[in-house]
Amino acid sequence: SSCPENTVLTGLNYLKGQTPVLALKDDEYPAWLWDLLKPKVFPDDGPGGKGEKMRLRAANRQRIKEQNFLKTQ
């Protein structure tokens, strides 16, 4: 992790009267936690598959963002 063990993690404890949240050693966290930041990989399952749909949605989203940006110029 990005902070040493037993570091007080400010902002995570939002309930009054609770003990402060402390950072743990990396091996004390569950294994799935480290996979959250990895990008999702969709299989290339041919035309009409989930991978193609996700790529088309991402391309369309990017195109819309570019068009909206050009409208503001």
Side-chain angles (χ1 to χ4, degrees), residues 1 3-7 9 22-29:
S1 74
C3 57
E5 184 181 2
N6 292 329
T7 303
L9 301 175
L22 301 176
L24 304 173
K25 290 189 286 188
D26 287 350
D27 58 350
E28 294 181 26
Y29 289 107

Side-chain angles (χ1 to χ4, degrees), residues 2-60:
S2 63
C3 57
E5 184 181 2
N6 292 329
T7 303
V8 176
L9 301 175
T10 308
L12 291 181
N13 189 7
Y14 54 88
L15 298 175
K16 293 181 180 180
Q18 299 291 320
T19 59
V21 178
L22 301 176
L24 304 173
K25 290 189 286 188
D26 287 350
D27 58 350
E28 294 181 26
Y29 289 107
W32 58 264
L33 181 68
W34 308 112
D35 294 335
L36 291 178
L37 296 178
K38 293 180 182 175
K40 291 183 181 179
V41 177
F42 295 102
D44 187 15
D45 48 0
K50 186 170 185 173
E52 183 186 21
K53 288 180 184 178
M54 295 305 290
R55 283 189 294 278
L56 288 174
R57 282 185 181 173
N60 189 34

